[in-house]
Amino acid sequence: MMAGVGGGNDFQWCFSQVKGATDEDVAEADIISTVEFNYSGELLATGDKGGRVVIFQREQESKNRPLSRGEYNVYSTFQSHEPEFDYLKSLEIEEKINKIRWLPQQNAAHFLLSTNDKTIKLWKISERDKRAEGYNLKDEDGRLRDPFRITSLRVPVLMPMDLMVEASPRRIFANAHTYHINSISVNSDYETYLSADDLRINLWHLEITDRSFNIVDIKPANMEELTEVITAAECHPHQCNVFVYSSSKGTIRLCDMRAGALCDRHSKFFEEPEDPSSRSFFSEIISSISDVKFSHSGRYMMTRDYLSVKVWDLNMENRPVETYQVHEYLRSKLCSLYENDCIFDKFECCWNGSDSAIMTGSYNNFFRMFDRNTRRDITLEASRENSKPRAMLKPRKVCTGGKRKKDEISVDSLDFNKKILHTAWHPKENVIAVAATNNLYIFQDKLN
Amino acid sequence: MVAKGQKRKLLEGRGAWESQLQSVLDISMEKFHRDQALVEPSLLRSVLISNTLRQVQSEVRAQVESLSSVKMPTKPQTHSGLEPDFPSGSPSSTEHNAPVFSLNDENSNTEEDVMAWTSEEDFSLSSAISVILKDLDTVIDAGQGPPRAPLGSVENLTGDARHTQYPPSSSRTERASNVVPSVKSEAACLGCPQDVVLEKLLLDIDTSVFEPEVNLLQGFSVTADDLVKYLPSLSKSPSASSSSSSSSHGQATWEIQEIEHVMDILMRTYPQS
């Protein structure tokens, strides 16, 4: 049992905050569907199934309130997407936010992209803490003044007001995806971004909403021949011409946009040869990649499939350089997990700021962290039982067979309805956000 | 001759595999049917489930083939044209004590070959495999024709047919769009006045609308030639038609009847599951 995940020094993860309702009855709309820190880590955004975005802001250190140092509090809440009805196909389009991606901050306002299955929106979140008072043509309450009664002109002055955070949709990128959008990724040029659905990837310019370039199209001429779909895509963090996309067959393709307008032919093809001894009916399903993330350095990428996380060196296509088992004890239960649909759950994964550690979720509200240097791993639980302020999290262990030790939990007792699909790691500090159904947990390293 | 002990071991080893195969098949089929009922099933899910079903099918075929290669040396070749690699085997069926399975074309020979040289000991295994094969075919054919309400009758169609008349299931309408073009091409070929009405009807159906969702196990086997067989009256129409006003009224009702007939054919070409 590991005390913490090292990266030079051992971390000790402590409970910091939990956001969300405490009722046993979870409203479907409140289920968190995406979590993302912005580039500085000052802001933390969540999207939910009800189409809402909630942004938390980190409190500045203050001598007045030392205990709330580094706490995240609600900064802005807005309805990003509404349910829509496609009349042509008689289909309802879910308002669930699939992904949020922040743009790097270039002025006082913050910008983020949020997407549901069909439409991507660029939101501007800006603060207003001053108000102009003393207009000539209207009163303070907005009523128009009678122009004939105005005898003198005055210059309006800016007066302080209570801070108001406004979110306004600045761009709507619609009608470019026939299939369900699974990924969006901002390019390092900060001018373009890509969006991927099951069969196609489009490249957009942030300023242009009525056009996008289709850069990948894997739709076969005859849909009966379809055996593979795109599951995730991401732009390279530094090379604005490079992006990767993963597939349902466990492969990753790296494409260079300089090679041609259509990137159907990959520059690199990453696939691990299958281990024939572990082949089963479910081999393909569990090899389907649910998430792909470049390291901050841009030298590695990480993929998440059903049972493991793999780190790939971009210079080596034939196998990953590191493989971490997330919950290998589920391998013998694949048939039941297929039956109850859990095998289709899409877990995400994330890097820490220095790329020395990776994190991903599991069932029973467990999440796992792996230290790439020491090869140590730890299993922690997001639960209200461990929610005393700054309480240190106790490592958890799943008993796979034989005698169950105290504090261990057996595989059959795991709650498969409590799944941690979305996690995020602060880009600079050891602060993590873990989404557990409708609750958002924030944990901090004690040494932080 | 394969010793009885060896046969039994074969059966026991098969038992575990068989039960897993059966459960994977059952679960996959249940999911497949459930997804079919959805308005817009997830494409990723559909692809994974259909790939699993294909894998099950190929495993079963491989096992049946290995069964036949085990059996072949022991049984006399009573079945004419018996080949180790079916389903392209010969068609005769009545000479054997085959149980009554109503299989569709492709695997009927396979199943009969299996049944032909099975002894009582292997009967349970072979029958289990043939049930599995039959189920697989049902799945694949069911992909072509889901148990849904048929298309609306022709005389109710207006100019806005594509918006109001077509049912919410996009996968069903995708199937309709696959059928329609072949009828359309057939109608175009006939080049007679009656099919102008039919063509106008078909042109109303904008097949590009139904692009997104598709049934991945679709192996729609209706061809234009098949449909021609069912449309004898249309091909005879040039001789029957005349531009005289006396026959124009009769012609109009006859056209409507013909269109209804075509729609009946379209509905009937969805095999009943």
Side-chain angles (χ1 to χ4, degrees), chain A residues 23-59:
Chain A
D23 316 337
E24 279 298 308
D25 265 337
V26 177
E28 177 101 0
D30 293 340
I31 296 174
I32 298 169
S33 49
T34 184
V35 184
E36 189 80 358
F37 280 100
N38 75 337
Y39 281 75
S40 64
E42 182 210 350
L43 298 177
L44 174 62
T46 62
D48 63 24
K49 273 193 161 185
R52 289 164 302 199
V53 171
V54 180
I55 301 176
F56 302 91
Q57 185 187 42
R58 200 173 192 194
E59 293 295 329

Side-chain angles (χ1 to χ4, degrees), chain A residues 141-390:
Chain A
D141 43 13
R143 275 186 304 189
L144 292 173
R145 291 170 79 193
D146 182 2
F148 294 105
R149 290 182 181 251
I150 299 170
T151 53
S152 62
L153 290 177
R154 56 189 179 176
V155 177
V157 288
L158 289 174
M159 302 295 288
M161 59 177 260
D162 289 339
L163 178 67
M164 201 166 76
V165 181
E166 299 172 320
S168 59
R170 304 304 278 183
R171 305 270 186 278
I172 296 180
F173 305 91
N175 303 319
H177 285 280
T178 309
Y179 303 95
H180 290 181
I181 297 173
N182 52 55
S183 315
I184 48 174
S185 180
V186 181
N187 211 345
S188 53
D189 60 11
Y190 302 151
E191 282 188 352
T192 57
Y193 74 94
L194 63 76
S195 59
D197 66 27
D198 294 314
L199 297 179
R200 297 191 178 101
I201 301 179
N202 293 332
L203 184 72
W204 302 84
H205 192 284
L206 284 164
E207 299 290 328
I208 299 169
T209 58
D210 61 353
R211 264 170 291 156
S212 71
F213 286 108
N214 174 244
I215 52 177
V216 173
D217 188 340
I218 64 166
K219 184 181 175 190
N222 183 1
M223 279 293 272
E224 294 172 38
E225 293 164 6
L226 180 70
T227 56
E228 193 173 8
V229 298
I230 297 170
T231 51
E234 197 177 51
C235 292
H236 192 277
H238 309 307
Q239 296 169 36
C240 59
N241 51 296
V242 172
F243 67 96
V244 291
Y245 67 95
S246 60
S247 83
S248 55
K249 285 196 170 174
T251 65
I252 309 103
R253 288 168 177 82
L254 183 143
C255 301
D256 187 333
M257 289 190 265
R258 295 172 302 188
L262 193 58
C263 300
D264 275 358
R265 292 183 60 203
H266 52 262
S267 300
K268 294 193 184 186
F269 182 78
F270 298 83
E271 186 178 29
E272 183 169 27
E274 195 186 356
D275 175 13
S277 65
S278 63
R279 179 148 181 79
S280 74
F281 287 114
F282 310 106
S283 296
E284 185 180 310
I285 301 183
I286 63 169
S287 75
S288 175
I289 291 172
S290 50
D291 195 15
V292 64
K293 292 263 171 49
F294 278 104
S295 64
H296 291 93
S297 64
R299 197 183 148 193
Y300 298 97
M301 66 177 175
M302 164 167 59
T303 57
R304 176 70 156 97
D305 51 72
Y306 190 63
L307 296 180
S308 67
V309 184
K310 294 177 181 170
V311 175
W312 303 77
D313 185 323
L314 294 188
N315 297 315
M316 190 162 77
E317 300 168 54
N318 58 351
R319 61 177 177 82
V321 289
E322 296 152 33
T323 301
Y324 302 94
Q325 301 300 336
V326 180
H327 36 218
E328 182 68 12
Y329 46 78
L330 296 182
R331 193 180 286 272
S332 54
K333 313 268 177 203
L334 291 178
C335 199
S336 331
L337 294 165
Y338 180 53
E339 191 172 11
N340 65 15
D341 280 343
C342 283
I343 210 173
F344 298 107
D345 286 336
K346 289 189 241 173
F347 291 94
E348 291 173 10
C349 52
C350 59
W351 298 86
N352 73 340
S354 59
D355 298 336
S356 63
I358 58 184
M359 171 168 63
T360 189
S362 178
Y363 294 103
N364 209 71
N365 277 355
F366 287 171
F367 57 99
R368 302 262 285 139
M369 279 186 204
F370 303 93
D371 184 319
R372 295 180 62 215
N373 300 323
T374 64
R375 294 305 173 110
R376 295 201 297 194
D377 61 271
I378 189 170
T379 305
L380 300 171
E381 184 181 0
S383 141
R384 288 202 181 245
E385 285 166 13
N386 314 330
S387 56
K388 275 166 53 179
R390 292 180 307 286

Side-chain angles (χ1 to χ4, degrees), chain B residues 206-262:
Chain B
D206 182 7
T207 57
S208 67
V209 165
F210 307 127
E211 186 195 55
E213 288 311 319
V214 79
N215 179 354
L216 296 163
L217 286 185
Q218 195 170 353
F220 213 104
S221 56
V222 176
T223 63
D225 289 332
D226 291 345
L227 282 166
V228 168
K229 285 185 254 168
Y230 293 109
L231 298 170
S233 43
L234 275 182
S235 57
K236 287 185 203 136
S237 59
S239 50
S241 76
S242 82
S243 51
S244 70
S245 53
S246 57
S247 63
S248 64
H249 175 70
Q251 192 173 319
T253 47
W254 180 80
E255 284 169 19
I256 290 171
Q257 282 169 11
E258 281 312 306
I259 289 165
E260 276 187 76
H261 185 61
V262 167

Side-chain angles (χ1 to χ4, degrees), chain A residues 112-128:
Chain A
L112 61 79
L113 288 168
S114 70
T115 185
N116 69 349
D117 285 338
K118 298 286 184 177
T119 304
I120 307 137
K121 295 187 183 180
L122 176 68
W123 287 89
K124 176 181 178 183
I125 297 106
S126 48
E127 291 183 7
R128 192 195 289 268

